[in-house]
Amino acid sequence: MGFGSHVLLFWLFQFVLLSSMLLKEAEAEQHLYNVTSLRGRKQVSGCNLFQGRWVIDPSYPLYDSSSCPFIDAEFDCLKYGRPDKQYLKYSWQPDSCAVPRFDGGDFLRRYRGKRIMFVGDSLSLNMWESLSCMIHASVPNAKTSFVRKETLSSVSFEEYGVTLLLYRTPYLVDIVKQKVGRVLTLNSIQAGKFWKDMDVLIFNSWHWWTHTGKAQPWDYIQDGQTLLKDMDRLEAFYKGMSTWARWVDLNVDPSQTKVFFQGISPTHYT
């Protein structure tokens, strides 16, 4: 199995866990006042989704990338000549329970009237596109609206009132243009105004913090009142994520909005 397949499996693992947790959250909302259901939910949540193995599932994949109207062309591997298809057949199987097969129609019914936003870098982009494609494969005739822009994009399944949004911001904190150049501000999240009033927020950030040279989209780092040409990247990441955590504490009502932070993805350049 090559490097690209290992990266794909890591991404699939995170996506299976995320979609499973989203469905569990929907179940929790539906059965909030049902004691019997709460007991059942505790038993289900006792399953360790992180302990398991990859198995081959002949029924996979859950969608055909060439027929999904929301996917970027560069993610359609088969269209551009990838000869093998085995990588599409992997399914994550926890050791202590069975993960139900994803059902896009069921997902839409559970999340009717909800807004789900992915916020972050290309990992969030991949998750947003795949969830949109998986749902579309289940309800191919559903009326949808699709807006694709550099920063804020959305897919809406109109008859269900479900909107999946993507906000691209690899650092979560701001990059601000100043006289000296582009400044990564560790204590500022002006973009947060676009993240409010969501029912689910899924964040991620990491590997852009390690970029240097031409791959680095900023010229300076602002740490409080101090302007730096560079600093220890792990320390910068810690301070940036502390700013993000404070934003969540101040702006998110946990009784109205569920917040997830995805794990770190490996670099995916080949």
Side-chain angles (χ1 to χ4, degrees), residues 9 12-17 20 47-60 89-101:
L9 291 183
L12 284 172
F13 171 67
Q14 293 207 51
F15 190 73
V16 168
L17 295 180
S20 297
C47 173
N48 184 354
L49 296 173
F50 300 89
Q51 184 68 43
R53 68 190 195 282
W54 290 104
V55 297
I56 297 296
D57 187 335
S59 68
Y60 270 44
K89 301 294 184 180
Y90 284 100
S91 172
W92 179 254
Q93 177 59 61
D95 290 336
S96 54
C97 65
V99 176
R101 183 180 176 85

Side-chain angles (χ1 to χ4, degrees), residues 4-244:
S5 295
H6 282 294
V7 172
L8 178 67
L9 291 183
F10 183 92
W11 170 80
L12 284 172
F13 171 67
Q14 293 207 51
F15 190 73
V16 168
L17 295 180
L18 177 61
S19 58
S20 297
M21 288 188 288
L22 285 174
L23 288 175
K24 285 184 179 180
E25 291 294 345
E27 289 175 355
E29 279 194 7
Q30 291 176 352
H31 302 302
L32 187 58
Y33 302 107
N34 186 319
V35 175
T36 302
S37 297
L38 280 173
R39 289 172 180 164
R41 182 163 57 87
K42 287 180 179 179
Q43 294 172 1
V44 172
S45 64
C47 173
N48 184 354
L49 296 173
F50 300 89
Q51 184 68 43
R53 68 190 195 282
W54 290 104
V55 297
I56 297 296
D57 187 335
S59 68
Y60 270 44
L62 295 174
Y63 68 91
D64 181 350
S65 58
S66 63
S67 64
C68 179
F70 315 123
I71 198 167
D72 288 343
E74 58 267 31
F75 296 140
D76 192 348
C77 298
L78 297 180
K79 178 180 179 180
Y80 288 95
R82 179 163 179 166
D84 63 305
K85 297 183 180 180
Q86 186 76 357
Y87 70 99
L88 296 172
K89 301 294 184 180
Y90 284 100
S91 172
W92 179 254
Q93 177 59 61
D95 290 336
S96 54
C97 65
V99 176
R101 183 180 176 85
F102 183 84
D103 182 334
D106 180 57
F107 186 95
L108 289 173
R109 289 186 289 273
R110 290 173 186 264
Y111 278 88
R112 186 180 296 274
K114 304 293 187 182
R115 291 161 57 86
I116 301 170
M117 176 177 272
F118 293 84
V119 184
D121 56 29
S122 57
L123 180 61
S124 288
L125 167 64
N126 292 157
M127 297 284 186
W128 172 71
E129 289 192 354
S130 282
L131 181 57
S132 300
C133 290
M134 288 164 60
I135 294 173
H136 179 264
S138 296
V139 289
N141 298 318
K143 184 178 180 181
T144 61
S145 60
F146 178 41
V147 177
R148 190 74 167 92
K149 295 184 178 180
E150 183 177 355
T151 302
L152 181 60
S153 303
S154 66
V155 174
S156 295
F157 294 86
E158 296 186 4
E159 63 186 278
Y160 297 92
V162 174
T163 301
L164 310 177
L165 301 104
L166 169 71
Y167 194 95
R168 291 294 300 273
T169 174
Y171 296 93
L172 300 185
V173 293
D174 298 324
I175 296 177
V176 180
K177 290 184 179 180
Q178 300 183 14
K179 290 182 179 180
V180 295
R182 302 163 300 175
V183 180
L184 177 63
T185 55
L186 300 182
N187 61 346
S188 171
I189 300 184
Q190 297 178 15
K193 60 187 178 183
F194 296 103
W195 311 343
K196 294 182 178 180
D197 301 320
M198 298 294 156
D199 297 286
V200 181
L201 285 166
I202 305 108
F203 295 93
N204 94 285
S205 184
W206 166 240
H207 73 79
W208 277 84
W209 291 85
T210 67
H211 287 192
T212 59
K214 293 182 179 180
Q216 174 184 300
W218 49 265
D219 304 303
Y220 293 89
I221 296 178
Q222 185 166 343
D223 181 11
Q225 299 300 314
T226 305
L227 191 66
L228 304 166
K229 189 62 180 176
D230 206 345
M231 65 184 292
D232 179 270
R233 299 303 180 86
L234 283 177
E235 183 181 356
F237 176 72
Y238 173 80
K239 291 186 175 185
M241 294 306 96
S242 296
T243 297
W244 165 80

